[in-house]
Amino acid sequence: MAVQRRNTRQRAMVLEAVRNHDDHPTADDIYLDIRRIDSKISRGTVYRNLNLLEETGQISTVRTEGGCRFDWRVDGHAHLICRRCGCVADVALPYRPEIDTDLQERSGFTDVTHATLFRGICPGCQARALPTEGAQTGA
């Protein structure tokens, strides 16, 4: 029997805060956004509601080495993570459900899905690594 949960003002605020981001915010990012609107909301309330929103399929989570990042997109899509700063970006590649089906048939597992994470160096980190104009190269 499924647990019936009521929609709360706090949950609505958390969902709206996630939807206002395209940069895959952390739980702390969401907490700080909401604190600007409601100074009485607790960190625990934000974290609980993020977990509940993920469990109910209203948001998705990208698990990175630096911790969980949240995404308003719940469709199958890939992510690209910067190895230097940890930023997360959506990748415009189609989800390949045939991979899930093939693996399910080969493994005996059921309800197989996949998440694709690519890693690289983002344009911002690349720019910061470039020597400044006029700097000596040591030649």
Side-chain angles (χ1 to χ4, degrees):
M1 185 166 136
V3 174
Q4 190 71 23
R5 298 198 189 263
R6 61 188 178 98
N7 286 325
T8 64
R9 183 179 74 81
Q10 292 91 348
R11 190 168 317 122
M13 290 172 63
V14 170
L15 181 57
E16 184 65 25
V18 172
R19 288 180 174 162
N20 286 335
H21 281 268
D22 282 327
D23 60 348
H24 304 82
T26 64
D28 278 344
D29 294 332
I30 297 301
Y31 169 70
L32 293 173
D33 286 353
I34 294 173
R35 285 287 293 201
R36 290 184 195 105
I37 301 164
D38 180 353
S39 63
K40 294 180 182 173
I41 197 162
S42 72
R43 193 176 301 268
T45 297
V46 171
Y47 281 55
R48 276 190 303 280
N49 279 290
L50 284 167
N51 289 329
L52 183 60
L53 289 166
E54 180 193 17
E55 287 174 17
T56 58
Q58 295 176 70
I59 63 174
S60 61
T61 301
V62 181
R63 287 168 174 73
T64 70
E65 291 86 7
C68 291
R69 307 290 288 267
F70 297 92
D71 194 348
W72 57 266
R73 287 186 58 187
V74 294
D75 60 313
H77 64 284
H79 291 97
L80 185 55
I81 302 170
C82 180
R83 287 191 298 258
R84 290 192 183 151
C85 71
C87 74
V88 179
D90 291 327
V91 177
L93 290 175
Y95 186 82
R96 307 256 322 267
E98 66 273 11
I99 294 172
D100 302 335
T101 304
D102 184 41
L103 184 57
Q104 189 165 296
E105 290 170 359
R106 292 174 186 234
S107 69
F109 279 64
T110 60
D111 198 27
V112 173
T113 61
H114 71 276
T116 306
L117 297 175
F118 296 95
R119 288 177 174 69
I121 307 299
C122 74
C125 286
Q126 291 174 52
R128 285 187 289 278
L130 296 175
T132 58
E133 255 185 72
Q136 301 237 338
T137 60

